[in-house]
């Protein structure tokens, strides 16, 4: 069995946190080689083998590797004992239309899929809870990262000052060229455009910075926010990029797990 090659993060001794890379695995073509996303057109056989390899590496059962079907909205799924007691169809239904997923259960790996969008991981070291957020430009405009922090506070009693965050691989300011309508969406949503945008022949938006600023606005310390600095568009040989490879290509899984 091929061993997945992971890009790992250190958020604390209690957690495992990582982004998958394209290296190793069983997918082919523009899905090659490691893809575990079932919503992008890859073969079920390759996805199953890749999931098996990842679960073996993490030392968990496949039923403990969870990711939602994302739709660029702000719905947050809570993985609790009730969720874990459900059968597979019910679980999948609960993960439909979800763009952030959180849990305080140990040995449950939760993650989001991206291929230029921004993944954000959150770890509350006091309440022992974790969250994974999918923030594309639409979700960023809708402030999904802020919503995730609020939900952790509501469900777990999380204080932003106790959070450690990691912003994973995504498209950079240099590479994220957008039309005026996208710039206007950020402007109308109240973002500081001098801090998050730059104009060349077209506008460019800094999505990682947008999400970092959201975390800081919620009270997360600047020193506790990690930035991967990886541009998926520029490094599409290692990380999937929909802009470079097309929509019918693989996805990065950025995930976090409280150790069993």
């Amino acid at each position: 069995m091929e061993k997945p090659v992971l890009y790992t993060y250190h958020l604390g001794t209690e957690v495992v946190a990582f982004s998958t890379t394209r290296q190793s695995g069983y997918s082919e073509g523009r899905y090659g080689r490691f893809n575990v996303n079932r919503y992008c057109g890859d073969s079920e056989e390759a996805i199953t083998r890749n999931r098996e390899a990842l679960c073996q590496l993490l030392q968990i059962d496949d039923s403990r590797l969870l990711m939602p079907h994302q739709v660029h909205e702000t719905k947050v799924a809570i993985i609790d004992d009730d969720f874990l007691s459900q059968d597979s169809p019910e679980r999948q239904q609960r993960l439909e239309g979800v763009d952030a997923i959180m849990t305080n259960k140990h040995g449950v790996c939760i993650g989001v899929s991206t291929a230029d969008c921004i993944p954000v991981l959150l770890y509350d070291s006091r309440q022992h809870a974790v969250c994974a957020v999918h923030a594309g430009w639409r979700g960023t405009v809708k402030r999904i990262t802020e919503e995730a922090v609020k939900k952790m506070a509501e469900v777990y009693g999380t204080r932003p000052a106790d959070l450690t965050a990691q912003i994973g691989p995504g498209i950079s300011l240099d590479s994220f060229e957008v039309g005026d309508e996208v710039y206007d969406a950020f402007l109308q949503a109240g973002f500081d455009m001098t801090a998050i945008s730059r104009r060349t022949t077209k506008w460019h938006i800094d999505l990682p910075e947008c999400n970092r600023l959201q975390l800081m606005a919620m009270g997360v310390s600047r020193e506790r926010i990690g930035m991967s600095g990886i541009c998926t568009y520029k490094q599409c040989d290692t990380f999937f990029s929909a802009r470079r490879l097309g929509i019918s290509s693989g996805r990065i899984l950025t995930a976090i797990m409280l150790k069993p």
Side-chain angles (χ1 to χ4, degrees):
M1 181 174 288
E2 294 200 36
K3 184 178 179 180
V5 178
L6 307 181
Y7 186 89
T8 59
Y9 312 105
H10 181 71
L11 276 70
T13 57
E14 187 183 29
V15 296
V16 174
F18 61 88
S19 294
T20 58
T21 71
R22 297 184 63 187
Q23 297 154 348
S24 191
Y26 299 96
S27 298
E28 298 179 349
R30 288 182 293 180
Y31 299 99
R33 298 173 61 197
F34 192 88
N35 170 66
V36 292
N37 183 296
R38 286 194 163 101
Y39 304 102
C40 59
D42 195 5
S43 78
E44 183 61 32
E45 179 184 358
I47 293 166
T48 298
R49 295 181 76 186
N50 286 333
R51 285 181 64 99
E52 287 175 354
L54 180 58
C55 288
Q56 181 173 321
L57 182 64
L58 297 173
Q59 298 184 323
I60 59 172
D61 185 77
D62 183 80
S63 65
R64 313 283 279 189
L65 176 61
L66 302 172
M67 60 197 78
H69 185 200
Q70 302 154 188
V71 293
H72 300 277
E73 292 293 339
T74 58
K75 184 177 177 182
V76 183
I78 303 163
I79 308 304
D80 53 15
D81 287 332
D82 179 62
F83 179 96
L84 294 172
S85 71
Q86 302 299 317
D87 59 20
S88 183
E90 175 62 24
R91 288 180 173 205
Q92 198 52 53
Q93 181 60 37
R94 293 195 188 189
L95 293 177
E96 184 68 32
V98 166
D99 283 87
I101 180 171
M102 65 187 198
T103 192
N104 63 353
K105 300 301 174 184
H106 288 257
V108 177
C109 185
I110 56 171
V112 291
S113 298
T114 60
D116 290 330
C117 294
I118 309 303
V120 182
L121 300 178
L122 305 172
Y123 168 49
D124 179 347
S125 57
R126 184 172 66 94
Q127 299 293 354
H128 309 290
V130 292
C131 181
V133 182
H134 164 248
W137 78 259
R138 293 175 180 84
T140 299
V141 165
K142 295 169 185 174
R143 300 181 188 274
I144 186 171
T145 298
E146 291 185 14
E147 293 302 315
V149 173
K150 291 176 185 176
K151 196 68 173 178
M152 290 186 76
E154 174 190 328
V155 176
Y156 305 125
T158 293
R159 300 181 306 193
D162 292 322
L163 284 173
T164 302
Q166 177 65 51
I167 295 175
I171 197 164
S172 66
L173 170 68
D174 288 345
S175 301
F176 191 45
E177 186 178 83
V178 302
D180 290 347
E181 73 283 358
V182 176
Y183 176 92
D184 290 341
F186 279 89
L187 179 64
Q188 292 164 15
F191 285 85
D192 179 358
M193 302 312 292
T194 60
I196 66 157
S197 67
R198 183 180 72 209
R199 189 175 183 92
T200 54
T201 54
K202 285 190 174 183
W203 284 108
H204 291 245
I205 301 290
D206 191 338
L207 290 181
E209 180 65 6
C210 288
N211 285 280
R212 187 178 76 95
L213 291 173
Q214 286 184 49
L215 290 168
M216 291 170 60
M218 292 300 293
V220 181
S221 168
R222 178 194 296 266
E223 290 72 29
R224 299 184 71 167
I225 304 172
M227 304 285 282
S228 74
I230 296 169
C231 175
T232 47
Y233 185 86
K234 294 178 181 178
Q235 295 177 241
C236 65
D237 56 335
T238 304
F239 298 93
F240 291 109
S241 168
R243 282 202 171 196
R244 290 291 295 273
L245 301 169
I247 296 298
S248 298
S249 59
R251 301 291 186 270
I252 304 159
L253 173 68
T254 296
I256 188 166
M257 178 178 71
L258 292 166
K259 292 179 181 178

